[in-house]
């Protein structure tokens, strides 16, 4: 037997219903916030992720599904959605067109991580990217939108925020930080590498012994320039005004290198160690970094599988029709009726001849509101027996009189 690869899951039944529920809920809310659906390929040039997600990140350092295609080009299954969206934004010259562009997307991402609960090698994200708006109000609206999505899905969360500074304050801080880091002995090999590539990522180290050595290190939050400080204070004031609880986490640096200014994460206490259910922030330099005109940008992505572990499916109202026969000759009539019904409502057809009880069971399982069956009497009379499973009423009507718009 051939099984799915480790860390990759099939989706069906309740799981697929949850998936659709999450995506439809999130997409509905994103549209209300002015975001439009966008899609980019799952396979991109490896260089795109190296340049954007960054060499210092675990994603680029250890987790990419990277290979040569048949033409010898190095390609990579996307580990995240932002880089592709920015590539598409620049390639389609939207940076030069100016204005605001707000996109939402959902789909498969790939990271070669050690699989565990809530951590897969193939997983799905729903994300939003906003291009062209520098105001911290946009950061706030995105956080508010994520809150609306989680509220609509009935998910409790904690919000952590931080500021990662800008080209004004970040480089000077990094120099100071590196000086301090050189005074510390016995860092883990990952932190040694981070000192060379992106020193602020040491604060993301999962090694307890490194973290102990970092307690007295300076943090960027206390070394922001005037503009970053003002923006961060404004963001906190907006969250306060909207009664959104948050914690300022000075260690929150995110696992990707492209962020500047606002960084945030939504955490759940109810799903174990892999507790981040959404993350994002501002990445004002990335468009330029990938060859475009400087364009401010901010976005987020939420992990659909992690949210599937938390979400309850809403009680479905019964809807649509179930058709069954007790005589095979009636299948023709049923096919015609089902086609008519499907113009306006969902519809299930059972082709096998069965008794009424079995058909009622089938209709119940299908979640149908109406169970319609043709038996031998109905066949002779040109009628059909219909039961409304919600109102618990039944009647026999002429086949031509069936009305599917109710
Ligand atoms: P990220 O924090 O790497 O950000 O991923 C976002 C979310 O994807 C996480 O909070 C988590 O819920 C989910 N996730 C990540 N890795 C896995 C995994 N191996 N298995 C299951 N779920 C996972 C980004 O990807 C950025 N592109 C977000 C962003 C958009 N920033 C700005 N715009």
């Amino acid at each position: 037997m051939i099984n799915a690869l480790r860390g990759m899951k099939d989706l069906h039944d309740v799981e697929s219903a949850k998936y659709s529920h999450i995506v439809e809920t999130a997409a509905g809310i994103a549209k209300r916030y002015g975001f439009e659906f966008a899609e980019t390929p799952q396979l991109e040039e490896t260089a795109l992720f190296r340049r954007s997600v960054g060499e210092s990140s675990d994603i680029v350092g250890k987790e990419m599904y990277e290979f040569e295609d048949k033409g010898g080009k190095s390609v990579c299954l996307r580990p995240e959605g932002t880089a592709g969206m920015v590539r598409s934004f620049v390639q389609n010259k939207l940076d030069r067109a100016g204005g605001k562009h707000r996109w939402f997307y959902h789909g498969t991402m790939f990271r070669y991580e050690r699989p565990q609960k809530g951590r897969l090698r193939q997983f799905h994200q729903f994300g939003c990217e906003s291009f062209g708006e520098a105001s911290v109000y946009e950061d706030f609206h995105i956080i508010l939108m994520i809150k609306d999505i989680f509220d609509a899905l009935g998910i409790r969360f904690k919000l952590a925020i931080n500021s990662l500074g800008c080209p004004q304050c970040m480089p000077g801080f990094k120099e100071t930080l590196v000086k301090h880091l050189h005074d510390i002995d016995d860092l883990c090999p990952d932190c040694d590498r981070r000192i060379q590539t992106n020193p602020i990522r040491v604060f993301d180290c999962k090694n307890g012994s490194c973290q102990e050595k970092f307690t007295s290190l300076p943090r960027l939050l206390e070394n922001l320039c005037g503009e970053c400080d003002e923006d961060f204070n404004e963001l906190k004031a907006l969250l306060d005004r909207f009664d959104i609880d948050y914690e300022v986490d000075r260690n929150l640096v995110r696992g990707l290198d492209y962020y500047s200014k606002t960084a945030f994460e939504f955490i759940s206490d109810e799903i174990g160690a892999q507790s981040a259910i959404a993350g994002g922030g501002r990445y004002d330099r990335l468009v330029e970094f990938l060859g475009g005109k400087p364009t401010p940008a901010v976005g987020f992505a939420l992990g659909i599988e992690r949210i599937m572990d938390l979400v309850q499916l809403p009680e479905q109202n019964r809807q649509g029709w179930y058709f069954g026969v007790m005589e095979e000759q009636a299948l023709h009539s049923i096919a015609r009726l089902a086609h008519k019904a499907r113009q306006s409502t969902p519809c299930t057809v059972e082709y096998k001849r069965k008794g009424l009880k079995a058909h009622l069971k089938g209709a119940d399982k299908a979640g149908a509101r109406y169970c319609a069956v043709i038996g031998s009497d109905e066949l002779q009379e040109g009628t059909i027996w219909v039961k409304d499973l919600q109102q618990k009423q039944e009647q026999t009507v002429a086949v031509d009189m069936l009305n599917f718009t109710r």
Side-chain angles (χ1 to χ4, degrees):
M1 193 174 66
I2 298 172
N3 292 320
L5 295 172
R6 206 160 106 78
M8 304 203 176
K9 280 207 309 200
D10 304 317
L11 264 188
H12 32 64
D13 299 319
V14 179
E15 296 286 286
S16 61
K18 283 186 175 180
Y19 183 93
S20 304
H21 175 54
I22 294 164
V23 168
E24 280 160 22
T25 304
I29 291 170
K31 282 182 199 162
R32 282 186 245 143
Y33 275 80
F35 287 77
E36 287 169 7
F37 178 62
E39 186 158 85
T40 59
Q42 295 188 16
L43 199 60
E44 299 265 9
E45 276 193 43
T46 307
L48 173 67
F49 302 108
R50 288 200 178 282
R51 251 191 255 168
S52 53
V53 176
E55 298 287 348
S56 83
S57 67
D58 284 349
I59 295 178
V60 168
K62 306 176 189 170
E63 298 167 1
M64 294 217 290
Y65 276 89
E66 184 185 342
F67 55 95
E68 271 190 11
D69 70 8
K70 290 189 193 299
K73 187 183 274 299
S74 176
V75 294
C76 179
L77 286 167
R78 64 179 180 192
E80 59 102 54
T82 311
M85 288 286 150
V86 175
R87 195 254 322 122
S88 173
F89 180 75
V90 175
Q91 188 177 341
N92 288 288
K93 302 187 173 49
L94 296 169
D95 53 332
R96 287 187 229 161
K100 319 266 185 278
H101 300 268
R102 294 187 176 91
W103 294 340
F104 76 84
Y105 55 92
H106 51 89
T108 326
M109 310 292 156
F110 301 85
R111 294 184 192 175
Y112 196 82
E113 296 191 77
R114 195 171 48 77
Q116 64 177 87
K117 185 173 159 20
R119 189 161 72 192
L120 293 155
R121 289 182 173 170
Q122 178 184 300
F123 60 100
H124 298 82
Q125 287 184 342
F126 177 94
C128 286
E129 311 295 348
S130 162
F131 297 101
E133 182 54 82
S135 166
V136 71
Y137 273 80
E138 188 73 356
D139 311 24
F140 168 68
H141 274 116
I142 282 187
I143 291 175
L144 195 59
M145 170 167 63
I146 305 169
K147 178 194 173 328
D148 281 355
I149 292 171
F150 287 150
D151 285 351
L153 292 170
I155 287 171
R156 283 192 294 265
F157 62 83
K158 284 184 181 154
L159 167 63
I161 58 169
N162 194 15
S163 175
L164 299 179
C166 68
Q168 280 289 319
C169 44
M170 173 79 99
F173 173 75
K174 277 187 183 168
E175 268 176 39
T176 315
L177 182 62
V178 169
K179 279 186 200 139
H180 281 85
L181 287 168
H182 282 318
D183 292 339
I184 303 177
D185 295 327
D186 298 327
L187 291 176
C188 73
D190 279 342
C191 281
D192 279 338
R193 188 167 51 91
R194 287 168 183 141
I195 295 175
Q196 311 300 326
T197 50
N198 186 2
I200 63 158
R201 296 229 45 253
V202 297
F203 295 120
D204 200 30
C205 184
K206 303 289 177 285
N207 185 320
S209 117
C210 283
Q211 281 301 343
E212 273 170 30
K213 295 171 189 153
F214 297 156
T215 42
S216 59
L217 285 180
R219 297 299 199 276
L220 188 56
L221 203 59
E222 287 84 43
N223 292 279
L224 294 175
C225 64
E227 189 188 299
C228 288
D229 201 38
E230 229 170 73
D231 277 355
F232 194 60
N233 286 333
E234 183 67 51
L235 177 66
K236 287 189 289 179
L238 284 164
L239 293 170
D240 288 337
R241 226 171 287 154
F242 275 71
D243 287 328
I244 300 175
D245 285 337
Y246 62 88
E247 183 202 328
V248 174
D249 180 354
R250 297 155 75 236
N251 281 345
L252 178 69
V253 288
R254 307 274 301 126
L256 310 97
D257 282 355
Y258 47 63
Y259 293 106
S260 52
K261 292 194 169 179
T262 309
F264 57 81
E265 252 166 32
F266 285 72
I267 313 290
S268 165
D269 285 340
E270 295 159 41
I271 46 168
Q274 299 306 312
S275 57
I277 49 176
R282 191 159 267 289
Y283 49 95
D284 288 344
R285 290 165 302 161
L286 189 55
V287 173
E288 186 182 9
F289 209 58
L290 291 178
K293 209 172 125 187
T295 307
V298 51
F300 79 97
L302 53 82
I304 297 183
E305 279 80 2
R306 292 188 189 169
I307 291 159
M308 278 160 64
D309 285 345
L310 292 165
V311 84
Q312 297 284 334
L313 276 179
E315 234 349 273
Q316 272 289 356
N317 275 340
R318 296 192 157 277
Q319 57 164 335
W321 287 71
Y322 168 100
F323 288 101
V325 296
M326 294 166 76
E327 299 295 335
E328 259 162 34
Q329 299 96 297
L331 277 172
H332 280 283
S333 307
I334 293 291
R336 197 165 46 78
L337 286 170
H339 183 246
K340 198 169 157 196
R342 283 184 178 128
Q343 307 309 308
S344 56
T345 186
C347 177
T348 307
V349 179
E350 173 57 62
Y351 307 124
K352 236 194 199 152
R353 191 165 63 90
K354 285 184 182 177
L356 201 55
K357 235 177 157 178
H359 280 312
L360 282 165
K361 233 175 159 177
D364 186 45
K365 202 164 166 229
R369 167 137 188 210
Y370 300 101
C371 176
V373 179
I374 299 184
S376 55
D377 287 353
E378 288 83 8
L379 191 62
Q380 275 182 10
E381 291 160 9
T383 57
I384 185 163
W385 177 86
V386 180
K387 180 161 184 178
D388 181 336
L389 298 176
Q390 204 159 292
Q391 305 281 343
K392 313 263 184 266
Q393 288 165 353
E394 52 185 85
Q395 56 177 326
T396 301
V397 289
V399 162
D400 296 337
M401 297 301 284
L402 264 195
N403 173 9
F404 297 111
T405 48
R406 57 189 159 162

